[in-house]
Amino acid sequence: MRISEFLNSSEKPFPSIEIVPPLKGVTRQGLVESVRPFMEFSPKYINVTCHRDEIDFRQEADGSFSRHLVRRRISETAVCAAIQAEFKIEVVPHIICGGATADQINTQVQDFLFLGIENVLALRGDSVLGEKRFTPVKGGFSYASELVAEVRKISKDAGKTMCIGVGAYPEKHFEAANLQTDIRNLKRKVDAGADYVVTQMFFDNAVFYHFRDLCREAGINVPIVPGLKPISNARQVETLPKSFYIDIPYALTSELEAHRDNDAVCYEIGQNWCIEQCRDLIRNGVPAVHFYTMGRPDNMLKILRDCF
Ligand code: FAD
């Protein structure tokens, strides 16, 4: 079933779960058991992130260096196939412009269609280490809007137009000059065929409501799903803003810093903050709440039990 149908037809908000593919070496059974705890909540689908190959330089016997592409994780396609087969639920693989030519995107989409996957989340991806700004490969795509149009075309030509989700940033994408410009670019993705939007994590719901209002004013009328992540330790007060360009409210950072040396208390503070955010979002009419689980069901279960 298409994610847009779930979002438009569900009578009550539901959790949307995102996992990260396991590192190579983890078995299929290992993956399945890490996802199984989420089945308590009958998720309608599971999102699987996509990770670009990393570049590794190895010294050869003659002293020269050779360049190698290294993928540290199992591919999103393999992970999706395993989840589908085990749990008989929909999967939403992420697909990125980064590192891929149009031909490679075509192959990837054909693999998804072969597996009966009818949903994807289309993203640009980030620059790789050592790259100042995102640079597409020759014959690749510069922006997610181009990828949306391409996935739509490939799947339509194959006889099954896929349902396409895209990313958005309530605090604006870090490269955009301002929120309004970023929302204009989000509209390009919707105009190119995106069926729904999933946001970056945020820790202040007022920021999300403001963003949602601006989107509606800009004529973005597809469902907007807010993204949440529970903070699980005090160190994330520094790491999350650096990695994801997001703000963490002072009320939360000061509480975490006051218990900096007590991981168990910080874990609970992060969990409770997320529960409060989620309940408030549900009261304010969101169709679903997307959770960045980072492959850790442990600190998600209480949140899901308390909210859904
Ligand atoms: P775009 O929509 O292409 O936007 C990128 C920037 O370009 C923005 O600043 C935008 O305002 C600007 N822009 C867009 N179009 C134009 C235009 N025509 N002209 C000028 N400027 C323009 N990354 C991964 O590598 N793998 C994942 O699995 C993954 N999952 C994610 C899931 C979600 C829900 C979200 C929100 C992000 C995810 N990301 C993932 C991160 C994402 O790839 C990065 O944030 C990336 O930097 C931007 O991706 P995008 O699709 O939003 O890009």
Side-chain angles (χ1 to χ4, degrees):
M1 189 165 159
R2 296 166 70 81
I3 304 309
S4 53
E5 281 175 49
F6 286 129
L7 292 169
N8 289 320
S9 69
S10 179
E11 280 172 8
K12 55 185 181 113
F14 57 85
S16 159
I17 309 288
E18 174 181 307
I19 64 158
V20 177
L23 291 171
K24 280 182 179 168
V26 173
T27 60
R28 176 187 183 283
Q29 204 52 34
L31 162 79
V32 161
E33 293 316 322
S34 73
V35 172
R36 197 176 302 284
F38 293 122
M39 294 305 130
E40 176 185 336
F41 308 98
S42 308
K44 297 182 192 299
Y45 54 88
I46 302 266
N47 275 59
V48 181
T49 61
C50 168
H51 297 263
R52 188 170 170 175
D53 291 339
E54 292 169 31
I55 297 164
D56 196 21
F57 290 94
R58 293 186 204 144
Q59 193 163 20
E60 304 296 341
D62 64 359
S64 66
F65 284 88
S66 57
R67 189 175 182 271
H68 297 266
L69 285 179
V70 183
R71 180 164 290 194
R72 301 191 194 281
R73 295 181 180 277
I74 305 296
S75 77
E76 63 287 347
T77 312
V79 170
C80 283
I83 293 174
Q84 268 185 326
E86 181 72 21
F87 302 112
K88 313 280 181 284
I89 59 170
E90 298 292 342
V91 284
V92 186
H94 295 190
I95 184 168
I96 56 172
C97 307
T101 62
D103 288 342
Q104 287 167 319
I105 295 289
N106 190 309
T107 305
Q108 203 177 355
V109 173
Q110 300 294 346
D111 282 350
F112 294 156
L113 293 170
F114 170 78
L115 287 170
I117 294 172
E118 54 177 325
N119 300 285
V120 287
L121 194 73
L123 302 139
R124 188 197 68 181
D126 284 319
S127 50
V128 282
L129 209 64
E131 221 177 44
K132 275 213 177 100
R133 63 182 71 83
F134 176 83
T135 315
V137 296
K138 197 161 176 277
F141 302 104
S142 301
Y143 296 110
S145 53
E146 297 168 8
L147 182 62
V148 169
E150 185 69 7
V151 172
R152 203 177 152 76
K153 180 178 181 310
I154 297 167
S155 59
K156 189 169 179 233
D157 288 350
K160 183 89 198 168
T161 307
M162 292 180 104
C163 171
I164 306 173
V166 290
Y169 306 84
E171 296 176 52
K172 96 171 178 66
H173 183 261
F174 70 100
E175 293 168 25
N178 50 58
L179 188 56
Q180 284 73 8
T181 305
D182 203 26
I183 290 175
R184 206 175 57 210
N185 289 329
L186 174 60
K187 176 114 184 349
R188 291 179 202 260
K189 298 195 265 195
V190 175
D191 292 345
D195 299 282
Y196 68 102
V197 170
V198 184
T199 79
Q200 180 58 282
M201 65 184 79
F202 56 87
F203 294 89
D204 177 356
N205 287 3
V207 171
F208 171 76
Y209 299 136
H210 175 61
F211 168 77
R212 189 174 60 178
D213 288 347
L214 290 181
C215 286
R216 298 305 183 220
E217 279 168 27
I220 296 171
N221 295 315
V222 297
I224 302 178
V225 179
L228 295 184
K229 177 196 150 25
I231 287 198
S232 50
N233 60 60
R235 292 173 297 285
Q236 290 179 343
V237 166
E238 280 109 46
T239 56
L240 291 180
K242 278 186 200 151
S243 303
F244 298 105
Y245 308 94
I246 44 103
D247 277 5
I248 306 178
Y250 181 67
L252 178 54
T253 59
S254 55
E255 212 183 333
L256 289 163
E257 273 154 14
H259 299 92
R260 195 168 188 90
D261 298 327
N262 192 331
D263 277 355
V265 172
C266 288
Y267 189 83
E268 209 175 306
I269 292 168
Q271 220 172 34
N272 288 338
W273 187 277
C274 188
I275 290 169
E276 288 311 314
Q277 271 195 282
C278 185
R279 286 182 175 153
D280 181 70
L281 289 165
I282 290 172
R283 279 196 299 274
N284 281 278
V286 298
V289 180
H290 186 77
F291 290 98
Y292 294 96
T293 72
M294 310 289 180
R296 293 189 53 190
D298 50 333
N299 70 343
M300 290 308 311
L301 299 183
K302 181 171 181 341
I303 296 169
L304 295 175
R305 282 184 194 133
D306 280 15
C307 298
F308 294 95

